[in-house]
Amino acid sequence: MAGEAAPVLAPVSSGAIRMDADALNAFMADAFPHSKPGSRGHVVLAEPGHIRARIDPNDQALRPGGLISGPTQMGFADMAAYALVLAHIGPVAMAVTSALNYQFLRPCRPGPLFADAHMLRLGRRLAVMDVRIWTDDADKPVGQANVTYAIP
């Protein structure tokens, strides 16, 4: 209504989230309408400073030797970092990856992949995150990424 003030949002903080797992998954589905369902993974947990995501790669994600491909792992790490940024700043579609460094630690066997993304620093213009990718044991990651996002 005219004359009503817009709601005042708390300042962006790594200690509070603005979007939960359901809101993040709905946003991703709307923001990437041409992606096949399940191809990007989905957020299963969102809490201050951390999200957990899951993807169930299909046979197209495999490389020779029957392992999950590097591009699949890196794309999943990027999705988890994007979700973590959005969880904290809200639905800002134009937050973009500005750096991603990925380390392959172990062979990534077929099956469900999980990502634990942790916020290292959330500033006004940049967010820096650590993302660990694992299969059946969170203490034995198959990959690790340092991801920086530029925030508009």
Side-chain angles (χ1 to χ4, degrees):
M1 294 200 184
E4 283 188 26
V8 177
L9 294 175
V12 170
S13 163
S14 60
I17 60 172
R18 293 183 174 182
M19 296 176 76
D20 63 12
D22 290 337
L24 289 165
N25 290 324
F27 177 84
M28 296 282 200
D30 287 343
F32 300 98
H34 302 294
S35 294
K36 292 181 181 176
S39 66
R40 313 168 290 284
H42 63 280
V43 177
V44 296
L45 170 74
E47 58 191 17
H50 171 244
I51 67 106
R52 177 168 286 169
R54 176 184 174 138
I55 189 170
D56 295 296
N58 59 27
D59 289 344
Q60 294 174 347
L62 299 180
R63 54 156 295 169
L67 300 174
I68 297 174
S69 72
T72 300
Q73 293 176 55
M74 290 184 283
F76 184 48
D78 189 44
M79 184 284 293
Y82 185 52
L84 182 58
V85 169
L86 295 181
H88 289 83
I89 69 171
V92 180
M94 291 311 296
V96 295
T97 310
S98 63
L100 189 149
N101 180 25
Y102 195 84
Q103 303 297 317
F104 297 95
L105 303 174
R106 292 179 176 77
C108 190
R109 309 232 181 273
L113 271 183
F114 298 90
D116 280 310
H118 292 274
M119 188 69 70
L120 300 177
R121 182 181 186 281
L122 178 60
R124 281 184 275 144
R125 293 285 172 212
L126 293 175
V128 181
M129 293 146 289
D130 174 72
V131 182
R132 307 281 168 105
I133 305 292
W134 52 279
T135 53
D136 52 356
D137 185 349
D139 292 329
K140 294 182 180 177
V142 297
Q144 183 272 332
N146 294 97
V147 186
T148 302
Y149 259 75
I151 301 168

